Amino acid sequence: MNKDKFPSELRLDKASGNWVVIATGRAKRPESFKKVKNGSIKESNKDCFFCNIETQGEPLLVYYKGKKVEGIKKWTTVVIPNKFPAFIRSKSLNRKKRGEFFETMNAVGAHEVVITKNHNKSLALLSLAEVKEVIDVYTDRYNSLIKEDGINYVAIFHNHGPEAGASVAHPHSQIAGIPLIDYDLKKALAKSKKYKKDGDCIYCRMNDWELKEKERIVYENEHFIALCPFTSKVAFQVIISPKKHLSHFENITEQEKESLADAFRTVLRKLYKALGDPAYNFYLHSAPSDNDDHLYYHWHWTILPKTSIWAGFELGVGIEISTIEPEEAAKYLRNQKI
Amino acid sequence: MNKDKFPSELRLDKASGNWVVIATGRAKRPESFKKVKNGSIKESNKDCFFCNIETQGEPLLVYYKGKKVEGIKKWTTVVIPNKFPAFIRSKSLNRKKRGEFFETMNAVGAHEVVITKNHNKSLALLSLAEVKEVIDVYTDRYNSLIKEDGINYVAIFHNHGPEAGASVAHPHSQIAGIPLIDYDLKKALAKSKKYKKDGDCIYCRMNDWELKEKERIVYENEHFIALCPFTSKVAFQVIISPKKHLSHFENITEQEKESLADAFRTVLRKLYKALGDPAYNFYLHSAPSDNDDHLYYHWHWTILPKTSIWAGFELGVGIEISTIEPEEAAKYLRNQKI
């Protein structure tokens, strides 16, 4: 590898507006792709890096039983830098043209891991206070990262289970601060902006409609609605969004955090029970932290249980096929006693 | 299930322009999603439906040793209707509004399965003549389906291996005739149209550039180029496209079919050897068969080896991360002796 090369590169297809990351810093030799994945990941907590957190370098944030603390002696949730970052701090973007159709730049930003203490308890099995602590930690790091120069968007996401791409069994989330807003996010923002102009925000109006229709609602509490969307992309997809119009996740109040923790925990427990601890991905969409205010946006979390694999049709045509009506999935989840 | 309901429903999110299919005809009970997928699929050819093709209803097309034949007594490649179709022939689209933001319509169209005889030989292991026969069959069915009323796009795709979503071990491809063009395809068409206006077609110009740069070329023959794209979405992604500007797959010549079979077989064998029979998806993108002529488009095949799982970051942010440079992947494939 060229030693002058930044260890992770963003590449833009100018014609489509799509970016990819070539994470050469964690590059593997071509031969290493040969190993057949059998879907199993290290389950023992004896050798688990995250159980032995003191070997993982300086933590960025430590919580112990609901409170921020200094030092790693006692912890219940901790944030550390990702050892194999896709985004890395730097002052130089070094943006360059490549031929007529492409551009490259350094994948500048931050990439962190949020770890909860118990190796064997995924989020669905945590207490309300423990889930609230995770939300506190998300919010704390989110607020810190959006203030950094060069970070225009902060992605919080969580992969549970090997089928959902989790490469470490110990429960953990990831937070990435990235320098740009991708085509898909731009499209979502443009859509929200357009519909906000015509009246209320599109999510507010959809939530109103869903509350009237009732059949896709999975759960609601004081501040949040969880539902299986009308155009679900996978069976048992759930979206959790605030009832009030909230554009920026960083402005979440203490009360809303309590309420979000309850909604999250309830939905994850229902999925756990209904589908037998399914693999899943979840992620936040919120207004970017670039120079625009994006007040028209409405933040929300999307949970995608790995109930199927997007294959040639989905990848080629861009239309997802699922084999259960969202109405029936929602009813099934609604009726799960947890 | 409502007996008046069409057994597969398309749902449109009008704000984003994205469609999904809710295939209620093959709907499973909610409980059935609980079963943990272990990634293994029936391997025995004794009980294989596709080995016992005579139990699978009337074939739509039968080939035997390179020639189209009548009847199923002797066959090497056969096309049958998909027993669990996502798209079903009907005269009525029955398009309806649902609330302010959604529409539904019957998932009208066709859904077929292309089966090659040998249970244990995937495409990479077939002879050149056998791969050519598969291309012949693709072309034959493609030409037939695009002429049908109500079919505006024909998708040919292939899933190999359980990790890539193949639910049957016996090698097979699928062909779906669908009534619409999805947002992603519209975007790709618009991009091609825009760049064609400014000069040559975007794919022609990219291919010229790639032939000069050389480092991402995997293979070329008289009519085709196979390369790892500059903005690869997965490690070892390969695109096969004609050197000449060809917009409509249905117009492929006999010579080009021979050449395509050679390119396909070579790339699949290189992937087989390099990555140890990886799971993969491949699919065709070609000009739609709706009322526009789309002469600006340049058809091509995309092969996506399942070298990783798109997880929370890819799904949430829309930026794919891969851990090998396309240049290095291409070099590795180029150097595979097959």
Side-chain angles (χ1 to χ4, degrees), chain A residues 63 66 132-141 254 257:
Chain A
Y63 263 67
K132 165 66 166 49
E133 180 171 297
V134 172
I135 305 288
D136 281 333
V137 167
Y138 285 171
T139 317
D140 189 311
R141 291 309 303 154
E254 194 59 25
K257 283 199 277 185

Side-chain angles (χ1 to χ4, degrees), chain B residues 54 135 249:
Chain B
E54 60 282 1
I135 305 287
F249 179 66

Side-chain angles (χ1 to χ4, degrees), chain B residues 65-76:
Chain B
K65 295 194 173 172
K67 283 195 181 126
K68 196 191 259 197
V69 296
E70 295 298 320
I72 191 70
K73 271 195 181 165
K74 288 188 172 179
W75 65 281
T76 42

Side-chain angles (χ1 to χ4, degrees), chain A residues 5 11 21 23-24 27 37 98 100 159 205 213 230 273 285 307 312 316 318 320 322-323 325 327, chain B residues 5 11 21 23-24 27 34 37 98 100 159 182 205 213 230 273 285 307 312 316 320 322-323 325 327:
Chain A
K5 202 161 188 177
R11 293 185 173 192
V21 175
T24 50
K37 301 235 173 65
R98 278 298 302 274
E100 192 181 358
N159 307 325
R205 279 145 73 198
E213 291 249 321
F230 186 80
K273 201 173 167 200
H285 278 173
T307 42
E320 294 82 9
S322 69
T323 51
E325 292 184 314
E327 296 74 23
Chain B
K5 202 161 187 175
R11 293 184 174 193
V21 175
T24 49
K34 195 164 188 168
K37 301 235 172 65
R98 278 298 302 274
E100 193 181 357
N159 307 325
D182 186 63
R205 279 144 73 198
E213 292 249 321
F230 186 80
K273 201 173 166 201
H285 277 174
T307 42
E320 294 82 10
S322 69
T323 51
E325 292 184 314
E327 296 73 24

Side-chain angles (χ1 to χ4, degrees), chain B residues 11-274:
Chain B
R11 293 184 174 193
L12 169 67
D13 173 351
K14 287 201 279 181
S16 69
N18 288 328
W19 291 88
V20 299
V21 175
I22 310 294
T24 49
R26 48 175 172 178
K28 303 188 241 175
R29 283 168 304 118
E31 299 78 13
S32 70
F33 285 89
K34 195 164 188 168
K35 191 178 156 275
V36 174
K37 301 235 172 65
N38 58 7
S40 79
I41 49 182
K42 197 184 282 179
E43 290 295 341
S44 144
N45 51 11
K46 205 182 136 196
D47 308 321
C48 169
F49 291 126
F50 293 170
C51 284
N52 300 286
I53 199 71
E54 60 282 1
T55 66
Q56 296 295 298
E58 200 59 38
L60 299 161
L61 179 64
V62 185
Y63 263 67
Y64 179 64
K65 295 194 173 172
K67 283 195 181 126
K68 196 191 259 197
V69 296
E70 295 298 320
I72 191 70
K73 271 195 181 165
K74 288 188 172 179
W75 65 281
T76 42
T77 306
V78 65
V79 184
I80 59 171
N82 192 316
K83 276 212 168 179
F84 305 98
F87 296 90
I88 301 154
R89 283 184 183 79
S90 166
K91 289 198 171 148
S92 160
L93 274 178
N94 196 23
R95 193 159 177 163
K96 283 181 195 163
K97 284 196 174 187
R98 278 298 302 274
E100 193 181 357
F101 298 107
F102 302 108
E103 285 184 22
T104 62
M105 67 181 185
N106 295 343
V108 169
H111 195 169
E112 306 179 349
V113 185
V114 178
I115 303 156
T116 44
K117 181 86 180 184
N118 194 319
H119 184 92
N120 298 309
K121 280 195 179 173
S122 68
L123 287 177
L125 303 178
L126 297 185
S127 71
L128 182 58
E130 287 165 334
V131 176
K132 165 66 166 50
E133 180 170 297
V134 172
I135 305 287
D136 280 334
V137 167
Y138 285 170
T139 318
D140 189 312
R141 291 309 303 154
Y142 191 94
N143 266 287
S144 179
L145 287 168
I146 57 168
K147 287 177 194 128
E148 283 192 31
D149 280 348
I151 289 181
N152 285 316
Y153 191 78
V154 174
I156 305 181
F157 56 102
H158 185 101
N159 307 325
H160 174 66
E163 303 88 349
S167 52
V168 174
H170 192 119
H172 65 285
S173 312
Q174 295 180 65
I175 305 183
I178 67 175
L180 55 88
I181 301 165
D182 186 63
Y183 183 88
D184 290 345
L185 286 174
K186 276 192 189 147
K187 182 182 145 196
L189 289 166
K191 151 188 144 183
S192 289
K193 194 169 188 173
K194 181 183 160 217
Y195 277 80
K196 176 75 176 172
K197 269 189 185 167
D198 303 341
D200 278 344
C201 142
I202 187 167
Y203 274 92
C204 289
R205 279 144 73 198
M206 275 193 194
N207 280 348
D208 285 349
W209 181 67
E210 291 290 7
L211 285 170
K212 254 179 251 161
E213 292 249 321
K214 287 194 180 72
E215 57 182 351
R216 280 171 299 277
I217 304 290
V218 173
Y219 180 71
E220 59 169 317
N221 62 19
E222 193 185 347
H223 295 290
F224 290 88
I225 302 170
L227 56 82
C228 294
F230 186 80
T231 52
S232 290
K233 287 173 184 295
V234 299
F236 295 94
Q237 177 180 351
V238 177
I239 289 180
I240 301 177
S241 64
K243 290 180 173 175
K244 224 167 90 178
H245 182 74
L246 301 177
S247 55
H248 289 71
F249 179 66
E250 60 267 38
N251 297 332
I252 190 170
T253 66
E254 193 59 25
Q255 259 207 335
E256 285 158 357
K257 282 199 278 185
E258 299 269 4
S259 193
L260 177 60
D262 170 61
F264 239 118
R265 180 169 176 267
T266 303
V267 169
L268 291 178
R269 287 174 90 87
K270 281 174 177 282
L271 286 168
Y272 185 95
K273 201 173 166 201

Side-chain angles (χ1 to χ4, degrees), chain A residues 49-50 52-62 71-73 75 78-83 113 115:
Chain A
F49 291 126
F50 293 169
N52 300 286
I53 199 72
E54 60 282 1
T55 66
Q56 296 295 297
E58 201 59 38
L60 299 161
L61 179 64
V62 185
I72 191 70
K73 271 195 180 165
W75 65 281
V78 65
V79 183
I80 59 171
N82 192 317
K83 276 213 166 176
V113 185
I115 303 156

